[in-house]
Amino acid sequence: MAKKTDNPEKIYGKIKRKYTQKSVKERIEALFLDNIGKIITREQIIKVATDPKTKKQPENWHQRLSELRTDNGYTILSWRNRGWLRVEEYLMPSSEKRINAGKRVKPDKNTWKAVLQRANDACEWTEGNKICGLKQGTIDPIGGGKVKLTPDHKNPHSINPDTDPKDINQWQALCGRHQVMKKNYWDTNTGKMNVYAIIQSSTVTEKEIVFKFLLDYFGYVQDEQGNIHKTKRGKK
Ligand SMILES: [Zn+2]
């Protein structure tokens, strides 16, 4: 997609007013709507996301940003979509929302009940051999806040639009943190995996395996001191 925005002059947005909206998501939304076509930085988002009364800085602003994309249907670009944006720079090109955003097929009531029963009222996210296992209503020790389990279709919707609301095998129960993680893993527009996000949230051991793979792939070796050298057979 070659647009004339491929190599634009970078214009940064500003915090022009006080944002007193009740939720973190609404405040971030208002900041972007005030700065259409301009770059918003991580610091600006955090500043606006911070509770105007208690001055409490939310740790989960990144999840809210992700919901503006997936649930509200806004386009918010980042360096992953546009190479000229730096990491932690974001840009909303227009106030247009995708109409079908957030309209997801859900399991019917009995199916969801059966899923929760199978899940033992705990998050079913699995990574390696580890199940998340956070129980409904307890406090998430990593993300903070009360755990609320919601249904997740195991295959992303863009790949399988014929979701069966009655088939319990197609559904799993996920905590809020893992719902967001899954959304980050899959680009719901293209159905492609977001490899970067997956590696970012993987364990150190997994990262080491990927690191070694990439060194080898690009034709580098690491010596015992940790220095990296190019080998002759380096591929491109
Ligand atoms: Zn979980």
Side-chain angles (χ1 to χ4, degrees):
M1 271 204 300
K3 282 186 187 164
K4 66 171 188 239
T5 51
D6 274 353
N7 207 356
E9 194 187 337
K10 292 175 81 169
I11 302 166
Y12 286 84
K14 285 195 181 104
I15 300 175
K16 296 169 188 162
R17 56 188 173 110
K18 279 214 167 92
Y19 294 96
T20 51
Q21 288 83 348
K22 281 219 174 80
S23 73
V24 171
K25 192 169 89 170
E26 285 170 323
R27 294 197 292 276
I28 297 175
E29 179 184 12
L31 173 68
F32 275 102
L33 288 174
D34 280 348
N35 289 284
I36 294 292
K38 292 178 184 159
I39 297 167
I40 295 295
T41 63
R42 175 179 189 268
E43 287 84 60
Q44 289 172 321
I45 295 174
I46 291 174
K47 212 166 176 190
V48 165
T50 299
D51 191 300
K53 281 195 191 123
T54 63
K55 308 289 174 213
K56 201 179 160 249
Q57 190 176 307
E59 283 167 26
N60 50 13
W61 63 270
H62 214 272
Q63 296 183 12
R64 304 289 91 80
L65 188 68
S66 168
E67 286 164 7
L68 284 172
R69 290 190 180 110
T70 53
D71 300 347
N72 297 51
Y74 286 112
T75 300
I76 299 174
L77 303 172
S78 73
W79 61 274
R80 284 187 199 131
N81 321 103
R82 295 289 182 274
W84 49 268
L85 286 172
R86 284 206 311 251
V87 176
E88 302 185 335
E89 288 182 349
Y90 305 89
L91 186 144
M92 187 185 272
S94 82
S95 57
E96 243 168 78
K97 299 180 188 179
R98 294 188 309 281
I99 336 161
N100 56 358
K103 277 186 197 157
R104 292 169 160 252
V105 185
K106 284 183 179 155
D108 66 29
K109 240 186 173 177
N110 289 330
T111 310
W112 178 230
K113 237 187 193 168
V115 170
L116 283 176
Q117 214 163 49
R118 175 194 66 205
N120 218 347
D121 274 323
C123 174
E124 292 183 289
W125 180 266
T126 315
E127 214 160 284
N129 304 316
K130 259 195 183 158
I131 292 179
C132 167
L134 277 180
K135 286 264 186 188
Q136 180 94 281
T138 58
I139 300 294
D140 179 350
I142 296 166
K146 240 186 202 172
V147 174
K148 189 173 179 266
L149 298 173
T150 48
D152 168 64
H153 191 250
K154 288 182 186 169
N155 296 312
H157 296 258
S158 52
I159 292 173
N160 180 11
D162 309 314
T163 307
D164 186 350
K166 289 189 192 304
D167 180 2
I168 83 156
N169 295 318
Q170 290 194 23
W171 299 93
Q172 61 185 347
L174 292 185
C175 71
R177 183 156 47 83
H178 284 128
Q179 283 282 7
V180 170
M181 197 173 274
K182 174 147 179 203
K183 281 176 194 165
N184 287 340
Y185 278 11
W186 291 89
D187 184 326
T188 43
N189 295 319
T190 62
K192 281 191 181 143
M193 274 194 261
N194 184 345
V195 176
Y196 178 84
I198 294 169
I199 295 169
Q200 202 178 28
S201 65
S202 64
T203 62
V204 173
T205 317
E206 286 162 330
K207 284 189 181 90
E208 275 170 359
I209 293 168
V210 174
F211 183 60
K212 287 201 178 111
F213 165 77
L214 289 175
L215 282 181
D216 184 52
Y217 180 86
F218 287 110
Y220 291 89
V221 283
Q222 195 173 21
D223 64 25
E224 274 154 33
Q225 284 80 43
N227 298 315
I228 291 165
H229 310 277
K230 186 113 185 144
T231 60
K232 277 191 190 121
R233 51 163 204 88
K235 297 173 208 166
K236 254 238 158 131

